[in-house]
Amino acid sequence: MEAQQLVPRQVPRVETRHRRIVTPIPVPESIPILEKLRQNEPRSMSGQPPVVWDRAEGVYVYDRWGNQWLDWSSGVLVTNAGHNHPKIRQAILEQVQHGLVHNYCFPSEIRARCVEALARVAPEPLKKVFLLTTGSETLECAIKLCRTWGQKIGGKRKIGIVSFHNAFHGRTLGAQMIGGIPALKSWIVNLDPDMIQVPFPDGFRGVDTSFDGFLKALEAQGYSPDRVAGVITETYQGGNASFAPTEYMQQLRAWCNQHQVLLVMDEVQAGFGRTGKYWGFEHYGIVPDLICCGKGISSGLPISAVIGRPEVMDLYPPGSMTSTHTGNPVCCAAVLANLQVIEEENLVERARCLGEIFQPELRRIRLRFFDHIGMVHGRGLVASLHMVRPGTIEPWPQLASRVVLRCVEKGLMLFAPVGYAGASVKLAPPLVITEDALREGIATLEEAIEEVIREIG
Ligand code: PMP
């Protein structure tokens, strides 16, 4: 989304149980804050709708001027347990009051409990957990482990990393090299020739959904299986909420076994219940060798993890795979409380059940605006609307931006469009949302799309 003009737009007043918009957007009093950010931060940080978040609780976001949004962003798929969950807040406060807020890689009991809890929720044989801070770092670590493993079992040639077109894995160097969005890596002058991408079989942008397509794409790039160390994929492609066919993923798993290739699932978005299963890869009936997770792991604080097979996770000797904030005690306390909330409040099952309302409703809306919504993808409580130029599949990012802004003006918080050509309106309510709030959000979204389409003619 281009930087927004900071000109307040009078919007109709909204007062419902879940939304309350009483001022123009952006709020005139918020403009000095927005300007201070623009002045002191890089331009890249100014892409979101012009709302200054003050507090957030459960499924609501508040500013300081009396506005309340129903949040369908989950702060970019982080707050699975809702914003500022009382049990998570309490755990954070207790850890701070206990008096340990940093301990580098020195052992701590809270870190021991955190990695034990994460190992418990991961499937066999993924039983070792390495804590990091961001999602991107987990992908960097996965690349390193795949290549180290590949060379150990197959020599210097077995270093290939295969990933997918349109994939997003983060913004650090390795994560961008394995990403599948060329525009994001145009700054990298010497792309690694042993990091290659193949089409993602989403049935929309990647039309060939057969596993043959994978084999042919490898062959076309002159890459033989014995040179591949790892295949890395998002469980669903985050930008577009697109899943691969189950058979494809099962064949990929079998192919990786056959050729001693590690399969890495990037669950940074999909993990911790978002799709109606604890792990997104459960939809495919497979288990990867490494899982990358972040975002929903703590419902708020910056912590991430690689979870994997012990023989791969143990490749590096003491002290050589670490990070300064590995297992920060306050973040570990948040993870432990978050996992407990996910379990106690049945959030995985909740996402599955609510998904049975959410997904069909979005597909109904798509049928209503068939010309402008090229496709709806998603499962559980994540979805995306692919906005297109009428009657084509050509992405229409401006339409997506206008729909997002209109939703925000109506009190439904969404983040800026993402995905293919930036034309995807992504929807991701916290998993604690009620059916009533979900239905209100759906009605608001539908109204916003209707108005924007009417206005553009
Ligand atoms: N992988 C996926 C699937 C993501 O969606 C993201 C972030 N949007 C990342 C990796 C990178 O995570 P982070 O921004 O925490 O580095």
Side-chain angles (χ1 to χ4, degrees):
M1 195 180 261
E2 276 304 299
Q4 297 305 309
Q5 280 289 313
L6 295 179
V7 179
R9 202 175 101 88
Q10 196 61 52
V11 293
R13 222 179 149 88
V14 176
E15 293 208 47
T16 71
R17 236 149 65 80
H18 303 291
R19 296 168 293 140
R20 184 178 146 85
I21 299 297
V22 293
T23 55
I25 307 282
V27 179
E29 293 89 326
S30 74
I31 290 179
I33 301 173
L34 293 166
E35 276 173 350
K36 194 181 290 187
L37 287 166
R38 283 200 184 175
Q39 207 177 336
N40 295 291
E41 285 186 338
R43 209 156 55 94
S44 65
M45 284 293 290
S46 64
Q48 294 304 326
V51 172
V52 176
W53 291 31
D54 186 52
R55 283 182 311 116
E57 195 134 357
V59 293
Y60 305 113
V61 170
Y62 304 88
D63 69 7
R64 256 169 48 200
W65 301 280
N67 297 311
Q68 169 182 325
W69 284 265
L70 172 61
D71 180 33
W72 271 21
S73 76
S74 294
V76 80
L77 297 105
V78 168
T79 57
N80 286 15
H83 292 274
N84 209 351
H85 190 289
K87 286 196 172 157
I88 302 175
R89 178 171 58 216
Q90 187 58 29
I92 293 170
L93 288 172
E94 277 171 18
Q95 184 60 36
V96 171
Q97 269 158 1
H98 177 77
L100 187 72
V101 298
H102 175 72
N103 57 290
Y104 177 52
C105 302
F106 292 103
S108 72
E109 184 178 349
I110 190 87
R111 189 171 90 233
R113 289 175 48 214
C114 179
V115 290
E116 178 188 48
L118 285 167
R120 192 174 61 78
V121 294
E124 287 289 346
L126 313 186
K127 290 297 156 191
K128 285 240 174 178
V129 180
F130 174 43
L131 296 173
L132 284 156
T133 312
T134 67
S136 304
E137 283 174 294
T138 67
L139 273 303
E140 298 290 338
C141 176
I143 294 169
K144 173 168 162 174
L145 288 173
C146 285
R147 282 202 161 164
T148 311
W149 179 252
Q151 290 179 76
K152 184 174 166 183
I153 60 167
K156 285 281 168 214
R157 265 169 58 84
K158 199 171 175 65
I159 55 168
I161 304 289
V162 181
S163 54
F164 289 84
H165 292 170
N166 301 322
F168 183 82
H169 295 292
R171 296 199 191 274
T172 53
L173 182 61
Q176 295 226 301
M177 290 223 253
I178 61 167
I181 305 170
L184 296 188
K185 43 188 181 179
S186 55
W187 63 278
I188 307 173
V189 284
N190 46 354
L191 284 170
D192 187 324
D194 290 295
M195 291 180 173
I196 62 172
Q197 282 87 55
V198 299
F200 186 81
D202 66 359
F204 184 50
R205 300 292 174 198
V207 278
D208 180 1
T209 59
S210 74
F211 187 65
D212 246 17
F214 177 90
L215 299 176
K216 282 191 199 133
L218 270 195
E219 207 182 300
Q221 297 182 66
Y223 229 85
S224 58
D226 60 311
R227 290 173 60 200
V228 181
V231 173
I232 302 183
T233 181
E234 294 159 280
T235 302
Y236 67 79
Q237 284 206 320
N240 305 302
S242 321
F243 285 75
T246 300
E247 313 78 67
Y248 182 107
M249 281 300 189
Q250 295 192 345
Q251 283 175 279
L252 176 62
R253 175 69 274 186
W255 182 89
C256 287
N257 289 349
Q258 186 189 350
H259 298 287
Q260 294 188 288
V261 170
L262 295 179
L263 178 59
V264 182
M265 301 301 275
D266 176 348
E267 287 263 332
V268 170
Q269 278 199 22
F272 306 97
R274 171 59 58 190
T275 68
K277 300 259 189 205
Y278 205 99
W279 302 106
F281 56 74
E282 292 172 54
H283 289 288
Y284 302 129
I286 59 168
V287 175
D289 300 295
L290 297 174
I291 312 174
C292 293
C293 33
K295 294 193 189 274
I297 192 172
S298 68
S299 286
L301 295 197
I303 179 163
S304 61
V306 181
I307 308 179
R309 301 165 70 95
E311 64 274 30
V312 179
M313 299 297 286
D314 278 333
L315 281 170
Y316 277 88
S320 59
M321 196 173 83
T322 62
S323 178
T324 301
H325 291 293
T326 297
N328 171 277
V330 182
C331 297
C332 284
V335 171
L336 277 165
N338 183 51
L339 298 189
Q340 198 183 337
V341 170
I342 290 174
E343 200 170 315
E344 283 172 2
E345 298 187 14
N346 277 323
L347 293 187
V348 182
E349 179 59 9
R350 191 180 180 81
R352 190 189 67 73
C353 291
L354 290 175
E356 286 179 8
I357 298 169
F358 189 49
Q359 302 294 340
E361 277 292 280
L362 296 175
R363 281 153 181 84
R364 177 188 62 72
I365 293 174
R366 189 219 164 194
L367 288 181
R368 198 176 151 205
F369 304 106
F370 196 79
D371 267 355
H372 295 87
I373 306 177
M375 184 62 85
V376 173
H377 280 146
R379 277 188 189 167
L381 285 180
V382 61
S384 110
L385 312 179
H386 302 234
M387 307 310 287
V388 292
R389 297 213 171 257
T392 72
I393 61 162
E394 189 192 334
W396 196 359
Q398 293 80 3
L399 176 61
S401 290
R402 284 188 60 171
V403 168
V404 166
L405 275 180
R406 185 59 53 88
C407 285
V408 171
E409 288 170 356
K410 287 175 174 291
L412 181 66
M413 183 62 77
L414 300 183
F415 52 79
V418 287
Y420 190 78
S424 229
V425 176
K426 187 91 174 282
L427 312 167
L431 312 186
V432 291
I433 194 167
T434 60
E435 181 179 333
D436 181 50
L438 187 73
R439 289 195 186 275
E440 184 173 312
I442 292 165
T444 311
L445 172 73
E446 187 167 1
E447 252 175 53
I449 296 173
E450 186 182 356
E451 285 176 18
V452 170
I453 289 179
R454 197 181 329 117
E455 284 165 17
I456 57 173

